Amino acid sequence: MNNTKLSIFGRESAIRFCQKKHDYETVIISISTPDVDYEESPFISDENKVTEILGLSFCDADYPNTKDVYGKITSESELMNDEDADRVVKFTEKHIGKHIIVHCDAGISRSSGVAAAILKHYNGDDSAVFDSRWYAPNRWCYRKVLEAFERLSDNET
């Protein structure tokens, strides 16, 4: 990924990151859950070197008509859609070479699914995510982002 560092965080870890001074430019893909009120959110400052945040909001379920992590049955319209995935791809392409943080509420499923797809596309290897005991990648997010990378590649040829 051309010196790009990719990190997967939960919301609290992303907030803690943003409260510290850093010497390298960072961007954030921030994934929220619809209808959840968040007390704080990551912020941009000269000290933390966070220069841009892509905000997305969708439920955490691997398939439509299944329960999300909160026990709510989700429809396809409540999950990551093609537009969300396209935004992830464009954002990632724009920020290659920077530190990219992908975070969701817990840093376990949606963020790791998105991060695994980014790693698969750029490095051909997503094992750092899928082989880790810390993550349970959301398969829907993973597939949607990989499909968006494929659409981008198809449009470039």
Side-chain angles (χ1 to χ4, degrees):
M1 287 180 57
N2 302 340
N3 298 324
T4 300
K5 180 181 177 188
L6 185 66
S7 298
I8 303 167
F9 287 169
R11 181 169 302 280
E12 292 304 315
S13 295
I15 290 168
R16 282 193 302 276
F17 177 92
C18 289
Q19 293 171 340
K20 296 179 182 173
K21 183 177 180 177
H22 299 280
D23 296 326
Y24 46 89
E25 189 173 354
T26 300
V27 297
I28 299 175
I29 299 171
S30 176
I31 303 169
S32 301
T33 303
D35 303 321
V36 172
D37 292 326
Y38 297 99
E39 292 182 25
E40 299 182 55
S41 62
F43 56 91
I44 296 172
S45 79
D46 290 337
E47 289 231 336
N48 65 20
K49 303 275 189 200
V50 173
T51 58
E52 190 171 355
I53 299 173
L54 171 63
L56 303 170
S57 182
F58 49 84
C59 292
D60 188 1
D62 283 320
Y63 302 98
N65 304 316
T66 61
K67 290 182 180 180
D68 69 4
V69 296
Y70 298 103
K72 175 187 173 220
I73 300 292
T74 57
S75 66
E76 185 169 340
S77 66
E78 295 174 294
L79 302 178
M80 177 183 240
N81 60 37
D82 290 346
E83 182 181 321
D84 294 328
D86 289 343
R87 290 177 65 203
V88 167
V89 167
K90 288 175 186 169
F91 188 82
T92 304
E93 289 279 305
K94 177 180 174 184
H95 294 293
I96 287 296
K98 299 173 186 170
H99 178 208
I100 299 173
I101 293 173
V102 185
H103 91 78
C104 60
D105 291 346
I108 296 172
S109 55
R110 289 173 292 180
S111 56
S112 68
V114 169
I118 293 168
L119 290 171
K120 182 71 171 176
H121 175 75
Y122 288 108
N123 300 341
D125 183 13
D126 53 20
S127 62
V129 175
F130 280 101
D131 291 350
S132 172
R133 65 186 180 119
W134 302 109
Y135 307 119
N138 180 300
R139 302 296 180 134
W140 184 269
C141 294
Y142 177 75
R143 188 172 61 252
K144 284 291 185 185
V145 174
L146 282 180
E147 289 169 357
F149 275 117
E150 289 175 17
R151 283 192 299 278
L152 179 68
S153 295
D154 291 345
N155 289 337
E156 290 177 352
T157 57

